[in-house]
Amino acid sequence: MNSPPLAEAFVLAHPAPARAAPAARRTPVWRTLFGDAVSSGITLAALAGLLELGPKLVSWGLVRAAWSGPGTACGGQGACWAFLRSKAPFILFGIYPPEQRWRPAAMVAMFVLLALWTLPPSRWTRLTLWLWAGAVAVAVLLMSGGVLGLTPVPTSAWGGLPVTVLLTVLSLAIGFPLGVALALGRRSELPGLRWMSIAVIELVRGLPLVTILFIAAILLPLMLPDGVKLDNLARALAALTVFSAAYLAEVLRGGLQGVGAGQAEAGRALGLSWWATTRLIVLPQAVGNVIPALTNTVVVIVKNTSLVLLVGLFDLLSAGRAALTDPKWPGPYMETYGFVALIYFVICFSISRYALWLERRPAFGASS
Amino acid sequence: MNTRRTGGPAALRWSRAKWRNALLQVLILAAAIAGALWLARNTAANLDERGIAVGWGFLSRPGYFPISQSVLPYSASDTIGWAFAVGLANTLLMSVLIVVLSTVLGFALALARRSSKVLVAGLAAAVVDVLRNTPVIVQLLFWYSLVTLGLPDIHRALHPIAGVFLSNRGVYLPALKIDGPAVPVRLVWLGLAAGALLAGSASILRPGRRRILLYAAALAWAIAALIWATVGLSVGLRPPRLEHVNFIGGLQLSPEFAAMALGLVLYSSVYVGEIIRGGIEAVPKGQWEAGLSLGLTRSQTLRLLILPQAFRTIIPPLTSQYINVVKNTTLALVVGYPDISFVAASAISETGQAVECVVILMAVFLLISLLAAAGMNTLNRKFALPSR
């Protein structure tokens, strides 16, 4: 009997040679465009649409457009880009004193740089948190002035993109801790606390932001005692903050539900207090679980700041509308709204792509 | 088992924690109540100082503010209470229109994004990205300026298909009109609408219960047909026609209505589309393969196998999207379509009864949210996996 035992005959003696990866099957371009009747039809329809609209758009936006000059240069059949060239500073900075415009510009630049600095998850440290807190304080001081020889500028003169940025950052900075408190309250074992958190969250989420802005603009001054005056910006900020807090709380609740009960029990077993367990063990994991969703909420908040137009605040969109009222120009509405939309798009699209990137990268840290 | 607590350090600590928790809650509640009372007292003092009497009496006084368009009849001498009803009807009309149209368009968008045709999927993805990353209020203003400035004046109105006119004064569509005496015509409309509603709600029920509703729908339609035959009604499409400086007849949509509907339908169809796409993609791939291997076509598999399962994932986010649609109609303020928040703003500036008007607004929207949530729970139960 010199043949090997049966079982051994099936065992590989050597590792099998690695095979080349299968060639990715690529459909040639002409086939995706004209492969079958449906594709050809769609391609031809798209081409027809392009041929119909393309020349009109080119003629409107390029050939017949007025690129420079005064208001009289516009008014023909083309786009009025000259208006944007002349009004862009006003749309971006509103009625902030022109010789002081470096201040809002510096503030926006500071937040852009700080946001870029914060992108890689390895920088999500305590230092970054302090940097953001410092930046918020510096931003408010820079805008309002009155210190270090800066001319004081009242909030009624703030306008344009800086107001949009400031409203976003401040409503997030104040709304996030509130949102954490509401989310924890909603999951609390104390019924009184739980029901109050639920009531606040559902009340705010059940109302349109327009109504909340109304309440802040019309009712808030009535509710405060004589002598206490909140300016327009503070009232709009209060509305946006409450709104952000309620929505962030719901996102965070999802994150809290994703943290196993064993984590909190482990913390208690180690002798940590409830607060220490929550702060050191539960919250970091809960936040880590929902970072992409939180980032998408930021997009919603950026878009929502545009509603302050309705309570007479001077954000990017209102500044665009104010620029349009200049009687020296024929009022190129579509170009202006397109420009404003483009700025919002650049901000929001970058944030949502970042969220997508976060979502797709391998799970990080304690979550997973 | 009887778990009697015996005295001891552990029990003592437990009861101390319990006391502390109870005290904490009482303190928090007391603080909340005190805060609310403080705000209410300030409000009362401030209103008193301004000479505004709190109460609902103003609702039965005439408002003397105009409402440019409405489904319900309205004139400036009507009461403020009626103005609120008119505004609510406008809000609901706009919401229903947007919910229906954006569901259809969103479904198409979801299929387009899943299409294997690169051009279609790419175009759909680009549309989704642009519409999702710009504020809806900017979009509404853009569409409004496109309608009022981009479209030609009434004499050179665009005329893409017979009976449809697009001009900067509004959009004119042919109207479907039943001719005859007023009462039977209304009854016929009522019967047709009731039948459609019953048949529509039947389609989301299980076969057993579906039959009753379908019979009821058939009955409603039969009654409508009977009235039609006995009275001798006739139906016709009434296209709008230009007379001198205005269009007469047909369905006339103001620029505000057209811009609102266009902007909000596009905006929410993007969200609806992404929800539907997510739902379809959440159904395991094996279900597609099972359907195809049974010899069903792709569209049959989608309709019979995939969509019923996708509904389970789709319903909750879709409901909150529909609530968002109702909430988004408050943006009508910016283009001047008279919805309920427009009425509230007008009433506040006319009478100064800010507290009452805001309370009405809050009550309306909270009620709509509650009703929608209740409806969703019912639907969820219908589509839940039968558990054994």
Side-chain angles (χ1 to χ4, degrees), chain A residues 187-228:
Chain A
R187 284 175 58 80
S188 164
E189 287 161 9
L190 314 179
L193 202 56
R194 187 169 63 238
W195 285 108
M196 242 167 53
S197 306
I198 292 177
V200 170
I201 293 174
E202 294 305 330
L203 185 72
V204 173
R205 276 162 38 95
L207 293 176
L209 181 53
V210 174
T211 309
I212 300 178
L213 281 167
F214 268 10
I215 296 174
I218 301 170
L219 287 195
L220 204 57
L222 284 178
M223 289 179 182
L224 293 175
D226 257 352
V228 181

mmCIF file of all heavy atoms in Angstrom, chain A residues 187-228:
data_model
loop_
_atom_site.group_PDB
_atom_site.id
_atom_site.type_symbol
_atom_site.label_atom_id
_atom_site.label_comp_id
_atom_site.label_asym_id
_atom_site.label_seq_id
_atom_site.Cartn_x
_atom_site.Cartn_y
_atom_site.Cartn_z
ATOM 1 N N ARG A 187 -33.161 60.166 26.323
ATOM 2 C CA ARG A 187 -32.871 58.775 26.678
ATOM 3 C C ARG A 187 -32.713 58.594 28.178
ATOM 4 O O ARG A 187 -32.301 57.530 28.639
ATOM 5 C CB ARG A 187 -31.606 58.323 25.968
ATOM 6 C CG ARG A 187 -31.839 58.030 24.494
ATOM 7 C CD ARG A 187 -30.548 57.711 23.796
ATOM 8 N NE ARG A 187 -29.843 56.589 24.385
ATOM 9 C CZ ARG A 187 -30.132 55.320 24.163
ATOM 10 N NH1 ARG A 187 -31.134 55.015 23.379
ATOM 11 N NH2 ARG A 187 -29.436 54.364 24.729
ATOM 12 N N SER A 188 -33.030 59.651 28.939
ATOM 13 C CA SER A 188 -32.839 59.576 30.384
ATOM 14 C C SER A 188 -33.840 58.616 31.030
ATOM 15 O O SER A 188 -34.912 58.355 30.499
ATOM 16 C CB SER A 188 -32.993 60.970 30.977
ATOM 17 O OG SER A 188 -33.174 60.884 32.359
ATOM 18 N N GLU A 189 -33.450 58.096 32.211
ATOM 19 C CA GLU A 189 -34.372 57.223 32.945
ATOM 20 C C GLU A 189 -35.362 58.032 33.762
ATOM 21 O O GLU A 189 -36.324 57.500 34.300
ATOM 22 C CB GLU A 189 -33.578 56.302 33.883
ATOM 23 C CG GLU A 189 -32.833 55.214 33.138
ATOM 24 C CD GLU A 189 -31.727 54.617 33.973
ATOM 25 O OE1 GLU A 189 -31.648 54.925 35.169
ATOM 26 O OE2 GLU A 189 -30.941 53.842 33.403
ATOM 27 N N LEU A 190 -35.110 59.334 33.891
ATOM 28 C CA LEU A 190 -36.007 60.179 34.678
ATOM 29 C C LEU A 190 -37.166 60.624 33.796
ATOM 30 O O LEU A 190 -36.950 61.330 32.816
ATOM 31 C CB LEU A 190 -35.263 61.410 35.195
ATOM 32 C CG LEU A 190 -33.892 61.141 35.806
ATOM 33 C CD1 LEU A 190 -33.250 62.437 36.264
ATOM 34 C CD2 LEU A 190 -34.012 60.179 36.966
ATOM 35 N N PRO A 191 -38.382 60.198 34.127
ATOM 36 C CA PRO A 191 -39.503 60.483 33.222
ATOM 37 C C PRO A 191 -39.739 61.970 33.004
ATOM 38 O O PRO A 191 -40.019 62.389 31.884
ATOM 39 C CB PRO A 191 -40.699 59.815 33.908
ATOM 40 C CG PRO A 191 -40.238 59.351 35.227
ATOM 41 C CD PRO A 191 -38.756 59.384 35.268
ATOM 42 N N GLY A 192 -39.599 62.782 34.053
ATOM 43 C CA GLY A 192 -39.850 64.208 33.888
ATOM 44 C C GLY A 192 -38.932 64.817 32.844
ATOM 45 O O GLY A 192 -39.359 65.517 31.928
ATOM 46 N N LEU A 193 -37.654 64.502 32.980
ATOM 47 C CA LEU A 193 -36.648 65.003 32.056
ATOM 48 C C LEU A 193 -36.915 64.493 30.641
ATOM 49 O O LEU A 193 -36.845 65.241 29.667
ATOM 50 C CB LEU A 193 -35.286 64.511 32.548
ATOM 51 C CG LEU A 193 -34.064 65.277 32.085
ATOM 52 C CD1 LEU A 193 -34.219 66.717 32.473
ATOM 53 C CD2 LEU A 193 -32.825 64.677 32.714
ATOM 54 N N ARG A 194 -37.246 63.182 30.566
ATOM 55 C CA ARG A 194 -37.442 62.560 29.263
ATOM 56 C C ARG A 194 -38.600 63.233 28.535
ATOM 57 O O ARG A 194 -38.470 63.627 27.382
ATOM 58 C CB ARG A 194 -37.705 61.070 29.436
ATOM 59 C CG ARG A 194 -37.742 60.331 28.119
ATOM 60 C CD ARG A 194 -37.733 58.840 28.299
ATOM 61 N NE ARG A 194 -38.912 58.363 29.004
ATOM 62 C CZ ARG A 194 -38.882 57.675 30.125
ATOM 63 N NH1 ARG A 194 -37.725 57.383 30.671
ATOM 64 N NH2 ARG A 194 -40.004 57.273 30.697
ATOM 65 N N TRP A 195 -39.735 63.387 29.252
ATOM 66 C CA TRP A 195 -40.907 63.948 28.568
ATOM 67 C C TRP A 195 -40.673 65.389 28.156
ATOM 68 O O TRP A 195 -41.141 65.824 27.104
ATOM 69 C CB TRP A 195 -42.143 63.807 29.448
ATOM 70 C CG TRP A 195 -42.621 62.400 29.442
ATOM 71 C CD1 TRP A 195 -42.535 61.499 30.455
ATOM 72 C CD2 TRP A 195 -43.200 61.703 28.333
ATOM 73 N NE1 TRP A 195 -43.025 60.291 30.050
ATOM 74 C CE2 TRP A 195 -43.437 60.380 28.752
ATOM 75 C CE3 TRP A 195 -43.516 62.066 27.028
ATOM 76 C CZ2 TRP A 195 -43.987 59.419 27.927
ATOM 77 C CZ3 TRP A 195 -44.067 61.113 26.196
ATOM 78 C CH2 TRP A 195 -44.299 59.808 26.646
ATOM 79 N N MET A 196 -39.911 66.137 28.981
ATOM 80 C CA MET A 196 -39.656 67.519 28.595
ATOM 81 C C MET A 196 -38.776 67.576 27.347
ATOM 82 O O MET A 196 -39.024 68.374 26.438
ATOM 83 C CB MET A 196 -39.007 68.274 29.740
ATOM 84 C CG MET A 196 -39.883 69.417 30.192
ATOM 85 S SD MET A 196 -39.364 70.096 31.732
ATOM 86 C CE MET A 196 -37.670 70.433 31.433
ATOM 87 N N SER A 197 -37.761 66.714 27.282
ATOM 88 C CA SER A 197 -36.901 66.702 26.101
ATOM 89 C C SER A 197 -37.705 66.328 24.870
ATOM 90 O O SER A 197 -37.570 66.944 23.804
ATOM 91 C CB SER A 197 -35.761 65.705 26.283
ATOM 92 O OG SER A 197 -35.072 65.970 27.459
ATOM 93 N N ILE A 198 -38.560 65.288 25.000
ATOM 94 C CA ILE A 198 -39.366 64.871 23.853
ATOM 95 C C ILE A 198 -40.242 66.019 23.395
ATOM 96 O O ILE A 198 -40.343 66.312 22.199
ATOM 97 C CB ILE A 198 -40.219 63.636 24.214
ATOM 98 C CG1 ILE A 198 -39.321 62.416 24.434
ATOM 99 C CG2 ILE A 198 -41.228 63.335 23.108
ATOM 100 C CD1 ILE A 198 -40.054 61.178 24.848
ATOM 101 N N ALA A 199 -40.870 66.707 24.364
ATOM 102 C CA ALA A 199 -41.770 67.809 24.010
ATOM 103 C C ALA A 199 -41.016 68.879 23.233
ATOM 104 O O ALA A 199 -41.477 69.338 22.181
ATOM 105 C CB ALA A 199 -42.393 68.397 25.273
ATOM 106 N N VAL A 200 -39.835 69.282 23.728
ATOM 107 C CA VAL A 200 -39.082 70.338 23.048
ATOM 108 C C VAL A 200 -38.693 69.890 21.643
ATOM 109 O O VAL A 200 -38.913 70.602 20.654
ATOM 110 C CB VAL A 200 -37.824 70.713 23.870
ATOM 111 C CG1 VAL A 200 -36.921 71.628 23.066
ATOM 112 C CG2 VAL A 200 -38.224 71.373 25.163
ATOM 113 N N ILE A 201 -38.128 68.677 21.528
ATOM 114 C CA ILE A 201 -37.644 68.204 20.227
ATOM 115 C C ILE A 201 -38.802 68.127 19.228
ATOM 116 O O ILE A 201 -38.714 68.636 18.107
ATOM 117 C CB ILE A 201 -36.968 66.822 20.366
ATOM 118 C CG1 ILE A 201 -35.679 66.950 21.169
ATOM 119 C CG2 ILE A 201 -36.671 66.233 19.004
ATOM 120 C CD1 ILE A 201 -35.017 65.629 21.472
ATOM 121 N N GLU A 202 -39.906 67.509 19.642
ATOM 122 C CA GLU A 202 -41.000 67.304 18.688
ATOM 123 C C GLU A 202 -41.701 68.611 18.347
ATOM 124 O O GLU A 202 -42.156 68.797 17.226
ATOM 125 C CB GLU A 202 -42.001 66.279 19.233
ATOM 126 C CG GLU A 202 -41.424 64.881 19.359
ATOM 127 C CD GLU A 202 -40.822 64.360 18.052
ATOM 128 O OE1 GLU A 202 -41.302 64.745 16.975
ATOM 129 O OE2 GLU A 202 -39.843 63.595 18.127
ATOM 130 N N LEU A 203 -41.780 69.527 19.338
ATOM 131 C CA LEU A 203 -42.390 70.832 19.063
ATOM 132 C C LEU A 203 -41.594 71.554 17.982
ATOM 133 O O LEU A 203 -42.156 72.045 16.997
ATOM 134 C CB LEU A 203 -42.426 71.665 20.342
ATOM 135 C CG LEU A 203 -43.134 73.008 20.226
ATOM 136 C CD1 LEU A 203 -44.624 72.780 20.107
ATOM 137 C CD2 LEU A 203 -42.843 73.887 21.426
ATOM 138 N N VAL A 204 -40.272 71.592 18.150
ATOM 139 C CA VAL A 204 -39.443 72.326 17.188
ATOM 140 C C VAL A 204 -39.460 71.632 15.834
ATOM 141 O O VAL A 204 -39.556 72.276 14.790
ATOM 142 C CB VAL A 204 -38.002 72.451 17.718
ATOM 143 C CG1 VAL A 204 -37.099 73.066 16.665
ATOM 144 C CG2 VAL A 204 -37.983 73.298 18.972
ATOM 145 N N ARG A 205 -39.394 70.301 15.842
ATOM 146 C CA ARG A 205 -39.352 69.595 14.565
ATOM 147 C C ARG A 205 -40.697 69.598 13.862
ATOM 148 O O ARG A 205 -40.778 69.385 12.657
ATOM 149 C CB ARG A 205 -38.875 68.160 14.776
ATOM 150 C CG ARG A 205 -37.357 68.057 14.812
ATOM 151 C CD ARG A 205 -36.901 66.766 15.434
ATOM 152 N NE ARG A 205 -37.739 65.657 15.064
ATOM 153 C CZ ARG A 205 -37.477 64.827 14.057
ATOM 154 N NH1 ARG A 205 -36.404 64.975 13.349
ATOM 155 N NH2 ARG A 205 -38.290 63.835 13.789
ATOM 156 N N GLY A 206 -41.770 69.818 14.612
ATOM 157 C CA GLY A 206 -43.089 69.850 13.995
ATOM 158 C C GLY A 206 -43.407 71.182 13.344
ATOM 159 O O GLY A 206 -44.373 71.287 12.604
ATOM 160 N N LEU A 207 -42.608 72.206 13.642
ATOM 161 C CA LEU A 207 -42.900 73.534 13.107
ATOM 162 C C LEU A 207 -41.962 73.862 11.950
ATOM 163 O O LEU A 207 -40.810 73.454 11.965
ATOM 164 C CB LEU A 207 -42.715 74.587 14.201
ATOM 165 C CG LEU A 207 -43.695 74.541 15.352
ATOM 166 C CD1 LEU A 207 -43.309 75.571 16.392
ATOM 167 C CD2 LEU A 207 -45.092 74.791 14.852
ATOM 168 N N PRO A 208 -42.461 74.612 10.966
ATOM 169 C CA PRO A 208 -41.554 75.084 9.911
ATOM 170 C C PRO A 208 -40.592 76.108 10.489
ATOM 171 O O PRO A 208 -40.953 76.834 11.429
ATOM 172 C CB PRO A 208 -42.486 75.750 8.900
ATOM 173 C CG PRO A 208 -43.866 75.414 9.302
ATOM 174 C CD PRO A 208 -43.837 75.055 10.741
ATOM 175 N N LEU A 209 -39.398 76.174 9.928
ATOM 176 C CA LEU A 209 -38.410 77.146 10.413
ATOM 177 C C LEU A 209 -38.955 78.564 10.291
ATOM 178 O O LEU A 209 -38.658 79.428 11.129
ATOM 179 C CB LEU A 209 -37.106 76.988 9.634
ATOM 180 C CG LEU A 209 -35.968 77.916 10.039
ATOM 181 C CD1 LEU A 209 -35.687 77.847 11.515
ATOM 182 C CD2 LEU A 209 -34.711 77.599 9.266
ATOM 183 N N VAL A 210 -39.777 78.806 9.256
ATOM 184 C CA VAL A 210 -40.353 80.142 9.078
ATOM 185 C C VAL A 210 -41.146 80.538 10.317
ATOM 186 O O VAL A 210 -41.027 81.660 10.817
ATOM 187 C CB VAL A 210 -41.262 80.162 7.828
ATOM 188 C CG1 VAL A 210 -41.965 81.497 7.719
ATOM 189 C CG2 VAL A 210 -40.463 79.887 6.576
ATOM 190 N N THR A 211 -41.933 79.595 10.857
ATOM 191 C CA THR A 211 -42.728 79.886 12.043
ATOM 192 C C THR A 211 -41.828 80.152 13.245
ATOM 193 O O THR A 211 -42.085 81.056 14.041
ATOM 194 C CB THR A 211 -43.666 78.704 12.337
ATOM 195 O OG1 THR A 211 -44.368 78.398 11.144
ATOM 196 C CG2 THR A 211 -44.641 79.036 13.422
ATOM 197 N N ILE A 212 -40.755 79.362 13.367
ATOM 198 C CA ILE A 212 -39.843 79.569 14.493
ATOM 199 C C ILE A 212 -39.162 80.933 14.383
ATOM 200 O O ILE A 212 -39.003 81.653 15.376
ATOM 201 C CB ILE A 212 -38.806 78.427 14.557
ATOM 202 C CG1 ILE A 212 -39.538 77.103 14.743
ATOM 203 C CG2 ILE A 212 -37.820 78.650 15.690
ATOM 204 C CD1 ILE A 212 -38.636 75.921 14.771
ATOM 205 N N LEU A 213 -38.819 81.322 13.154
ATOM 206 C CA LEU A 213 -38.224 82.647 12.957
ATOM 207 C C LEU A 213 -39.230 83.746 13.310
ATOM 208 O O LEU A 213 -38.865 84.768 13.889
ATOM 209 C CB LEU A 213 -37.757 82.806 11.508
ATOM 210 C CG LEU A 213 -36.434 82.135 11.161
ATOM 211 C CD1 LEU A 213 -36.217 82.088 9.662
ATOM 212 C CD2 LEU A 213 -35.272 82.881 11.809
ATOM 213 N N PHE A 214 -40.501 83.517 12.961
ATOM 214 C CA PHE A 214 -41.568 84.461 13.336
ATOM 215 C C PHE A 214 -41.627 84.613 14.845
ATOM 216 O O PHE A 214 -41.701 85.720 15.364
ATOM 217 C CB PHE A 214 -42.923 83.927 12.879
ATOM 218 C CG PHE A 214 -43.333 84.388 11.514
ATOM 219 C CD1 PHE A 214 -42.436 85.052 10.699
ATOM 220 C CD2 PHE A 214 -44.612 84.171 11.055
ATOM 221 C CE1 PHE A 214 -42.822 85.479 9.444
ATOM 222 C CE2 PHE A 214 -45.003 84.591 9.808
ATOM 223 C CZ PHE A 214 -44.104 85.236 8.992
ATOM 224 N N ILE A 215 -41.623 83.463 15.528
ATOM 225 C CA ILE A 215 -41.703 83.499 16.984
ATOM 226 C C ILE A 215 -40.544 84.310 17.531
ATOM 227 O O ILE A 215 -40.716 85.186 18.380
ATOM 228 C CB ILE A 215 -41.683 82.070 17.570
ATOM 229 C CG1 ILE A 215 -42.929 81.310 17.104
ATOM 230 C CG2 ILE A 215 -41.615 82.101 19.084
ATOM 231 C CD1 ILE A 215 -42.938 79.864 17.513
ATOM 232 N N ALA A 216 -39.331 84.040 16.999
ATOM 233 C CA ALA A 216 -38.157 84.752 17.498
ATOM 234 C C ALA A 216 -38.230 86.233 17.171
ATOM 235 O O ALA A 216 -37.818 87.075 17.972
ATOM 236 C CB ALA A 216 -36.893 84.135 16.903
ATOM 237 N N ALA A 217 -38.750 86.567 15.999
ATOM 238 C CA ALA A 217 -38.736 87.964 15.574
ATOM 239 C C ALA A 217 -39.871 88.765 16.206
ATOM 240 O O ALA A 217 -39.711 89.936 16.515
ATOM 241 C CB ALA A 217 -38.822 88.051 14.052
ATOM 242 N N ILE A 218 -41.033 88.121 16.370
ATOM 243 C CA ILE A 218 -42.214 88.874 16.816
ATOM 244 C C ILE A 218 -42.515 88.630 18.284
ATOM 245 O O ILE A 218 -42.773 89.562 19.033
ATOM 246 C CB ILE A 218 -43.440 88.499 15.956
ATOM 247 C CG1 ILE A 218 -43.147 88.803 14.484
ATOM 248 C CG2 ILE A 218 -44.657 89.276 16.405
ATOM 249 C CD1 ILE A 218 -44.178 88.251 13.542
ATOM 250 N N LEU A 219 -42.476 87.350 18.699
ATOM 251 C CA LEU A 219 -42.890 87.049 20.074
ATOM 252 C C LEU A 219 -41.781 87.246 21.096
ATOM 253 O O LEU A 219 -42.036 87.660 22.222
ATOM 254 C CB LEU A 219 -43.409 85.613 20.163
ATOM 255 C CG LEU A 219 -44.770 85.352 19.540
ATOM 256 C CD1 LEU A 219 -45.301 84.023 20.003
ATOM 257 C CD2 LEU A 219 -45.745 86.450 19.885
ATOM 258 N N LEU A 220 -40.535 86.949 20.688
ATOM 259 C CA LEU A 220 -39.439 87.033 21.658
ATOM 260 C C LEU A 220 -39.328 88.424 22.281
ATOM 261 O O LEU A 220 -39.187 88.538 23.508
ATOM 262 C CB LEU A 220 -38.126 86.614 20.982
ATOM 263 C CG LEU A 220 -37.040 86.095 21.915
ATOM 264 C CD1 LEU A 220 -37.563 84.922 22.720
ATOM 265 C CD2 LEU A 220 -35.814 85.659 21.136
ATOM 266 N N PRO A 221 -39.408 89.515 21.477
ATOM 267 C CA PRO A 221 -39.336 90.848 22.101
ATOM 268 C C PRO A 221 -40.474 91.072 23.089
ATOM 269 O O PRO A 221 -40.291 91.786 24.075
ATOM 270 C CB PRO A 221 -39.471 91.798 20.913
ATOM 271 C CG PRO A 221 -39.135 90.998 19.723
ATOM 272 C CD PRO A 221 -39.493 89.588 20.026
ATOM 273 N N LEU A 222 -41.636 90.446 22.816
ATOM 274 C CA LEU A 222 -42.773 90.611 23.730
ATOM 275 C C LEU A 222 -42.550 89.859 25.032
ATOM 276 O O LEU A 222 -43.038 90.247 26.089
ATOM 277 C CB LEU A 222 -44.053 90.090 23.077
ATOM 278 C CG LEU A 222 -44.717 90.947 22.016
ATOM 279 C CD1 LEU A 222 -45.938 90.236 21.472
ATOM 280 C CD2 LEU A 222 -45.107 92.289 22.601
ATOM 281 N N MET A 223 -41.815 88.726 24.926
ATOM 282 C CA MET A 223 -41.676 87.854 26.095
ATOM 283 C C MET A 223 -40.622 88.368 27.065
ATOM 284 O O MET A 223 -40.599 87.949 28.219
ATOM 285 C CB MET A 223 -41.268 86.455 25.654
ATOM 286 C CG MET A 223 -42.348 85.687 24.958
ATOM 287 S SD MET A 223 -41.641 84.118 24.517
ATOM 288 C CE MET A 223 -42.976 83.372 23.668
ATOM 289 N N LEU A 224 -39.719 89.231 26.586
ATOM 290 C CA LEU A 224 -38.640 89.683 27.460
ATOM 291 C C LEU A 224 -39.096 90.912 28.237
ATOM 292 O O LEU A 224 -39.906 91.688 27.746
ATOM 293 C CB LEU A 224 -37.402 90.006 26.619
ATOM 294 C CG LEU A 224 -36.798 88.776 25.961
ATOM 295 C CD1 LEU A 224 -35.653 89.163 25.060
ATOM 296 C CD2 LEU A 224 -36.318 87.782 27.006
ATOM 297 N N PRO A 225 -38.599 91.076 29.447
ATOM 298 C CA PRO A 225 -39.025 92.227 30.254
ATOM 299 C C PRO A 225 -38.545 93.528 29.634
ATOM 300 O O PRO A 225 -37.651 93.539 28.787
ATOM 301 C CB PRO A 225 -38.356 91.970 31.602
ATOM 302 C CG PRO A 225 -37.224 91.052 31.307
ATOM 303 C CD PRO A 225 -37.657 90.217 30.164
ATOM 304 N N ASP A 226 -39.138 94.614 30.066
ATOM 305 C CA ASP A 226 -38.771 95.939 29.570
ATOM 306 C C ASP A 226 -37.283 96.177 29.742
ATOM 307 O O ASP A 226 -36.683 95.788 30.724
ATOM 308 C CB ASP A 226 -39.542 97.001 30.376
ATOM 309 C CG ASP A 226 -40.696 97.520 29.556
ATOM 310 O OD1 ASP A 226 -40.752 97.162 28.361
ATOM 311 O OD2 ASP A 226 -41.531 98.248 30.112
ATOM 312 N N GLY A 227 -36.698 96.829 28.762
ATOM 313 C CA GLY A 227 -35.302 97.187 28.897
ATOM 314 C C GLY A 227 -34.356 96.161 28.307
ATOM 315 O O GLY A 227 -33.265 96.505 27.876
ATOM 316 N N VAL A 228 -34.750 94.881 28.282
ATOM 317 C CA VAL A 228 -33.894 93.871 27.661
ATOM 318 C C VAL A 228 -34.169 93.890 26.166
ATOM 319 O O VAL A 228 -35.291 93.666 25.729
ATOM 320 C CB VAL A 228 -34.187 92.469 28.227
ATOM 321 C CG1 VAL A 228 -33.270 91.443 27.597
ATOM 322 C CG2 VAL A 228 -34.025 92.475 29.729
#
